[in-house]
Amino acid sequence: MRYSNKIRISLTLLLLWSGGLVSCGADSDKNHSPTSHFQKSNSGKLGPTINVIADNGNELESQLREIMNSPNLPENVVVQLPAGEFKLTESIKIHKPGVHLKGVGKGLLTIDDELDIPEAPATVLDFSLQHDLAAGGSGAEGILIMADDVVIEGVAVLNTVGDGIKAGGVKNLVIKNTRVEWTGPIKESNGGYGLYPVNADQVKLLNCFVRGASDAGIYVGQSNNILVEGNLVVENVAGIEIENSTNAWVRNNVARQNTGGILVFDMPNIQVGTPDDPGIQGRNVKVTQNKIIENNTRNFAAPYNIVAITPPGTGVLIMANDEVEVSGNSIEGNKSMAVAIVSYYMVDPTVNDQLGLSTYDAVPESIYVHDNTYLDNGLEPQPSSSTEDIAEQVSELFNELGYKMPTILYDGIGESIAAEPFSPERRICVQEGPEVVVGELYSESPVTPMPVYDSKRLDCQHAPLTVDVNW
Amino acid sequence: MSLILNIRYCLLLVSAGCFFLSGCGADDDSSAIDIVKASCNWAAQSEKINWPALLELDCPKLSDYGLFSKMDGKTLSAHSKGIKYELKEALFTDHAIKDRFIFLPEDSQVELDSSVPLLMSELGVQYPIGTVITKTFSFNQVDGVQRIIETRLLIRRKDGWVGRPYVWNDEGSEAELKYGGRANIDITFVTPDNNIETIKYDVPQSSECQQCHKQDDRLMPIGPSRLRLLSTEPKLSDGAINPLLSKSIFRLNGNKVNLASVPVSERSDDPSIEARLYLDVNCAHCHNPSGFAKNTKLFLESWRPLNMAIGLCKTPIAAGVGTGGLKWVVDPGKPEASILWYRMNATSNATKMPEIGRTLVHERGVELVYDWIASLDSGLCVKN
């Protein structure tokens, strides 16, 4: 079924979103895990509540400074923010473990002006003033989390100069029913990431809405044990990106009108590391039951950020990562291709000649794409920028052979440079309906493209991946 | 059960001791029975440093600790136990004048261990429990009066280091503990080059102590780390002997050592390249494998060889608009094409580095790094 009717899409999204409002993330847990987030994350109970009362951003800011830095903050304290719109100049920094920062209600969709959505009570933290040097303030993020067991819930973080909500080096993080948005038309100067846990362990990002990120709406990097569920990501460069991470499950999200819907990347110098800082190789990533729809927005990332290579019209892009399963997703109306499985060599053929990177595993292995539904993908491949037009070039290669762009594209470089065929467990496998065409680009040589339309090399199966999200 | 507190009401009572600032260590473990009962009421005994309070209590006033014998708004004289020190290279903080002291408990030693790799680690230099490191920030105002803004205390307590910010009153006669720091203090001042600048100065909140001082899971000193101590010149900028080095407080690999008597070149493997030391001091507290920017994989400690970890031919990881549209962190031979140089030259919150503690561009630092990058061989990277 194609979501071509605008009202239909909006209503669907609204339903999904209001589901988030009501459930506060608990329903999804009932479905998929035996325990709620808090029973384990915060020793089974919430601490006392501090009600913050403030009439304006200045008051809110100074109170949050006092509260968040108090040496006597109760354990598992709930910091309840008031409803209203607050203009802030500096990042909210959380460095005490167990803080539960809670807004009133949730951010609402603003993506469709035609829909008359009633304003619910909401805590809106507007960071527009961070752009104004004369306003002072410090930090580029909206909320910066530096402690374990933190919960962020029901706040809207708008227009930060940098990332929306960043968490560095933390354990057991939950962000839910939260909205991060760069309002107004999308632009290059928007912050990079909406939700941005990095170097984290045990991350749940649930029922959030992110729009306008100039890199990724939801980005989880260099982390382990990840659940990204029930989120709506719209008009970001990457809707959701999992990078150099292990044991991640991305499920039941809607990625719509991004440049690329869902990306799974393994970057060179993160994977390789240094002698005193071992690298992290991404593996065991499941992408299931997502709606990945019409991700045709122009690429507005700053050049040389890796997402800048993403062609508009990309549904799912797996680059260099091993052990990825993509199944049960609805992938529709993505103009360049539904699914691409490529090596980093597509971006930089010399990557392993570069200083210190000779051991980088640039090719994807053990990939399993199966049982997704596809509609109207690859109909009009798009250039990523004025200088990068990988999708268009690839499309032309297939056109010259008299074919359209395949629904699923595999670059094949990994296998064409391998000394011998991939063993069964390393293979790239696709099991889809007969109408779904798989194209392979470098079928024989890593240097000269020799496109194969309807490649049979990917006709194999893997066992489904197991990702435990019950921590 | 919910304990509802009206924070606005609470803030009115801060000085009287609302629950979240009542502090003064009431909850602290006081199992060490031989310690004198700690108290912040120290005025009567002001000839001595209030060691018991330093070890246990967060006192509301800086004077409660008795660290400084003279606090008259212009000069800050340390108690005789305070050892003034300077560093060869210092973190740039909008040209703030910084006065640094170390206070060590009686008869204690600072242990230096040169066998530990030069990581940003507490293992390389161990300060005894009770050590207090202070840094006082002030600016030369246009009228010639020095305005004292804040004093940061880093105290080595039983369970590790704690950071406490004290903000000075307008008269400069007393400083009060402000866990939340103080945002947006308007300051107009004269730079060392006699330029007049106006800034909004931020006294960092406690959480921001962590951003720089936390390495892995522990808070620790950055300035007087082993590398910095070992590369410190024996003389202060005014020509006087650097008292820190001449004090017999150091033990190197278990043996007493007078650092002042050992030339820098013999005690340090610090590189001769000034730019690398500058980057080490200004960036490496975050940009190292234990620091807050570890995810960037850009590690700027000065001991690292010339490779990708220090930015050479390195593409950005998560810089967003901070790339400035540039490809490599360090593009050898091409400073203006290097993200490192671009971000040091930026003042926007979105792009500047370091992220906190600086609103102005440090011309000298930028020049050092410019010249260093320009000196690198462009053939080091494979261009594609």
Side-chain angles (χ1 to χ4, degrees):
Chain A
M1 182 192 322
R2 176 138 190 231
Y3 291 84
S4 56
N5 179 308
K6 199 173 185 182
I7 299 299
R8 178 83 171 275
I9 295 172
S10 302
L11 288 175
T12 309
L13 298 174
L14 182 62
L15 283 173
L16 177 113
W17 186 246
S18 56
L21 301 189
V22 175
S23 72
C24 293
D27 284 352
S28 55
D29 252 59
K30 276 179 202 156
N31 294 338
H32 299 287
S33 77
T35 55
S36 84
H37 308 303
F38 301 110
Q39 283 171 356
K40 283 190 177 177
S41 66
N42 286 321
S43 313
K45 58 183 176 191
L46 295 173
T49 296
I50 296 178
N51 281 321
V52 180
I53 297 171
D55 291 330
N56 56 52
N58 277 346
E59 284 181 26
L60 192 78
E61 215 157 60
S62 60
Q63 292 191 20
L64 283 175
R65 266 196 172 221
E66 295 301 331
I67 295 165
M68 293 301 179
N69 293 294
S70 162
N72 299 322
L73 204 59
E75 280 201 22
N76 303 323
V77 66
V78 178
V79 178
Q80 175 68 60
L81 301 176
E85 186 167 335
F86 300 93
K87 287 200 179 303
L88 306 182
T89 61
E90 62 177 18
S91 308
I92 298 169
K93 299 190 175 183
I94 302 176
H95 73 303
K96 304 276 184 179
V99 170
H100 185 147
L101 183 67
K102 203 173 170 191
V104 174
K106 289 85 203 172
L108 281 172
L109 300 187
T110 60
I111 52 171
D112 195 331
D113 294 333
E114 290 172 29
L115 259 188
D116 186 19
I117 301 171
E119 277 291 312
T123 300
V124 178
L125 309 176
D126 185 340
F127 290 87
S128 305
L129 290 172
Q130 282 179 330
H131 297 257
D132 178 7
L133 288 182
S138 72
E141 301 84 6
I143 302 175
L144 182 61
I145 302 161
M146 300 176 270
D148 297 344
D149 305 319
V150 168
V151 179
I152 307 289
E153 177 180 3
V155 295
V157 171
L158 306 188
N159 302 319
T160 52
V161 71
D163 307 311
I165 303 178
K166 179 178 177 183
V170 306
K171 189 166 181 177
N172 194 21
L173 171 73
V174 178
I175 303 176
K176 60 182 183 173
N177 298 337
T178 283
R179 164 186 166 207
V180 177
E181 185 173 357
W182 287 267
T183 56
I186 54 169
K187 52 186 184 298
E188 283 74 0
S189 59
N190 286 354
Y193 302 119
L195 304 181
Y196 177 20
V198 67
N199 298 123
D201 186 20
Q202 299 180 339
V203 175
K204 290 187 178 178
L205 307 178
L206 311 170
N207 302 331
C208 295
F209 168 63
V210 186
R211 177 185 170 274
S214 69
D215 198 305
I218 294 179
Y219 170 97
V220 185
Q222 302 172 52
S223 296
N224 183 33
N225 297 320
I226 298 146
L227 176 62
V228 178
E229 177 166 41
N231 303 284
L232 170 61
V233 286
V234 178
E235 286 192 286
N236 308 285
V237 174
I240 298 171
E241 182 178 355
I242 305 293
E243 191 171 273
N244 292 76
S245 288
T246 52
N247 304 315
W249 199 340
V250 179
R251 66 189 186 193
N252 300 315
N253 301 282
V254 176
R256 189 172 71 96
Q257 291 177 341
N258 305 284
T259 304
I262 299 180
L263 278 46
V264 184
F265 283 7
D266 215 40
M267 295 287 287
N269 48 3
I270 304 176
Q271 189 201 84
V272 172
T274 58
D276 56 333
D277 182 56
I280 303 166
Q281 181 155 27
R283 54 166 289 278
N284 205 35
V285 179
K286 262 173 105 82
V287 177
T288 66
Q289 319 306 131
N290 300 285
K291 290 186 166 61
I292 302 162
I293 298 168
E294 293 173 0
N295 293 289
N296 300 318
T297 294
R298 71 183 171 88
N299 194 320
F300 59 106
Y304 299 113
N305 281 295
I306 189 63
V307 295
I309 56 106
T310 310
T314 302
V316 177
L317 178 55
I318 299 167
M319 185 165 71
N321 218 100
D322 294 355
E323 289 182 37
V324 182
E325 181 183 7
V326 178
S327 75
N329 302 286
S330 302
I331 307 175
E332 302 176 7
N334 302 289
K335 286 182 177 176
S336 287
M337 68 214 106
V339 178
I341 305 157
V342 300
S343 68
Y344 194 87
Y345 295 126
M346 288 287 280
V347 180
D348 181 2
T350 65
V351 61
N352 266 326
D353 305 326
Q354 200 60 275
L355 209 61
L357 287 179
S358 57
T359 59
Y360 171 52
D361 174 11
V363 304
E365 293 162 49
S366 308
I367 308 296
Y368 192 23
V369 178
H370 65 102
D371 299 304
N372 301 284
T373 59
Y374 301 86
L375 189 69
D376 294 344
N377 297 292
L379 299 183
E380 196 185 337
Q382 305 283 307
S384 5
S385 68
S386 53
T387 53
E388 298 278 347
D389 56 353
I390 295 176
E392 268 191 323
Q393 288 174 8
V394 168
S395 170
E396 279 163 21
L397 289 169
F398 284 102
N399 293 345
E400 284 166 16
L401 299 173
Y403 298 116
K404 300 181 302 176
M405 185 75 162
T407 303
I408 298 175
L409 179 73
Y410 172 45
D411 74 344
I413 292 177
E415 292 185 72
S416 64
I417 58 175
E420 50 194 67
F422 277 8
S423 56
E425 67 275 12
R426 293 176 67 198
R427 287 178 67 181
I428 313 300
C429 296
V430 175
Q431 290 295 328
E432 299 290 11
E435 75 287 359
V436 177
V437 172
V438 179
E440 192 174 346
L441 199 54
Y442 294 84
S443 57
E444 290 178 25
S445 151
V447 183
T448 314
M450 300 193 61
V452 175
Y453 191 75
D454 205 10
S455 169
K456 298 301 178 200
R457 175 143 69 168
L458 285 70
D459 183 8
C460 55
Q461 297 181 37
H462 291 300
L465 296 177
T466 305
V467 177
D468 181 6
V469 292
N470 300 316
W471 54 80
Chain B
M1 186 175 63
S2 226
L3 169 63
I4 308 292
L5 290 167
N6 182 325
I7 290 303
R8 183 185 286 165
Y9 175 66
C10 209
L11 285 173
L12 293 173
L13 300 176
V14 160
S15 56
C18 175
F19 98 100
F20 59 82
L21 287 178
S22 63
C24 283
D27 298 336
D28 280 8
D29 174 12
S30 49
S31 56
I33 46 167
D34 56 330
I35 290 180
V36 181
K37 182 72 179 164
S39 165
C40 291
N41 294 323
W42 198 247
Q45 308 166 57
S46 59
E47 290 307 302
K48 286 182 180 172
I49 291 174
N50 191 351
W51 291 109
L54 281 162
L55 277 167
E56 292 191 8
L57 305 181
D58 290 353
C59 291
K61 302 195 304 290
L62 184 58
S63 60
D64 293 335
Y65 290 130
L67 293 167
F68 301 101
S69 56
K70 194 176 172 192
M71 297 166 67
D72 65 0
K74 294 190 186 66
T75 51
L76 192 64
S77 305
H79 189 277
S80 59
K81 290 295 290 182
I83 307 165
K84 187 178 172 64
Y85 73 102
E86 287 184 6
L87 299 165
K88 185 175 175 185
E89 186 61 81
L91 178 73
F92 174 74
T93 317
D94 284 351
H95 300 289
I97 299 162
K98 300 177 187 176
D99 288 305
R100 301 175 179 83
F101 293 95
I102 290 180
F103 299 83
L104 293 172
E106 205 73 48
D107 298 326
S108 60
Q109 301 282 313
V110 179
E111 300 281 348
L112 299 166
D113 181 351
S114 68
S115 68
V116 179
L118 276 180
L119 302 179
M120 191 68 72
S121 158
E122 211 179 8
L123 294 174
V125 49
Q126 291 193 358
Y127 290 93
I129 290 172
T131 301
V132 183
I133 300 176
T134 70
K135 186 155 70 163
T136 298
F137 293 66
S138 55
F139 289 89
N140 279 325
Q141 296 185 119
V142 179
D143 60 7
V145 176
Q146 191 165 329
R147 178 176 171 193
I148 186 165
I149 306 290
E150 58 158 326
T151 296
R152 301 179 192 171
L153 264 52
L154 207 49
I155 309 168
R156 177 72 168 88
R157 289 186 176 156
K158 194 173 61 154
D159 296 329
W161 292 92
V162 296
R164 297 290 181 254
Y166 285 81
V167 181
W168 287 85
N169 59 18
D170 290 343
E171 300 77 43
S173 58
E174 182 62 276
E176 283 185 20
L177 174 59
K178 297 283 182 194
Y179 292 108
R182 180 177 289 172
N184 294 341
I185 302 174
D186 291 303
I187 299 175
T188 298
F189 68 98
V190 184
T191 70
D193 297 334
N194 285 318
N195 295 319
I196 295 174
E197 297 278 4
T198 297
I199 59 169
K200 284 190 181 296
Y201 183 90
D202 248 31
V203 176
Q205 39 189 320
S206 303
S207 56
E208 289 169 317
C209 298
Q210 284 205 4
Q211 226 172 313
C212 297
H213 284 273
K214 195 172 167 189
Q215 306 294 322
D216 291 326
D217 293 330
R218 295 175 66 81
L219 209 70
M220 61 184 69
I222 302 169
S225 66
R226 188 188 55 181
L227 170 71
R228 314 271 159 72
L229 287 171
L230 293 181
S231 60
T232 292
E233 300 293 346
K235 290 197 173 171
L236 298 182
S237 47
D238 62 4
I241 298 293
N242 197 342
L244 179 66
L245 297 188
S246 58
K247 298 269 175 179
S248 53
I249 56 168
F250 292 105
R251 284 157 61 95
L252 182 59
N253 303 329
N255 300 312
K256 275 208 167 193
V257 61
N258 180 352
L259 287 181
S261 66
V262 186
V264 172
S265 58
E266 286 177 28
R267 54 183 145 100
S268 172
D269 54 358
D270 182 43
S272 55
I273 303 165
E274 278 182 84
R276 291 296 303 279
L277 185 62
Y278 183 87
L279 292 170
D280 188 297
V281 172
N282 281 274
C283 318
H285 45 275
C286 284
H287 283 280
N288 81 82
S290 301
F292 193 67
K294 64 174 288 186
N295 66 297
T296 63
K297 303 297 172 192
L298 176 66
F299 302 145
L300 291 169
E301 308 101 308
S302 56
W303 56 266
R304 284 188 189 273
L306 205 59
N307 63 18
M308 193 174 279
I310 65 154
L312 211 58
C313 340
K314 181 188 175 303
T315 50
I317 295 289
V321 295
T323 64
L326 303 170
K327 184 176 183 182
W328 285 328
V329 178
V330 174
D331 192 338
K334 291 190 194 161
E336 281 153 6
S338 300
I339 298 169
L340 183 67
W341 179 81
Y342 170 79
R343 301 195 78 164
M344 288 176 67
N345 235 341
T347 50
S348 150
N349 278 327
T351 49
K352 71 180 180 187
M353 281 289 157
E355 285 183 312
I356 55 175
R358 165 174 95 71
T359 65
L360 303 171
V361 171
H362 190 203
E363 304 291 349
R364 185 180 71 82
V366 168
E367 275 172 34
L368 277 175
V369 169
Y370 185 100
D371 291 344
W372 170 62
I373 297 175
S375 75
L376 298 172
D377 176 5
S378 64
L380 286 164
C381 301
V382 177
K383 321 257 170 173
N384 72 331

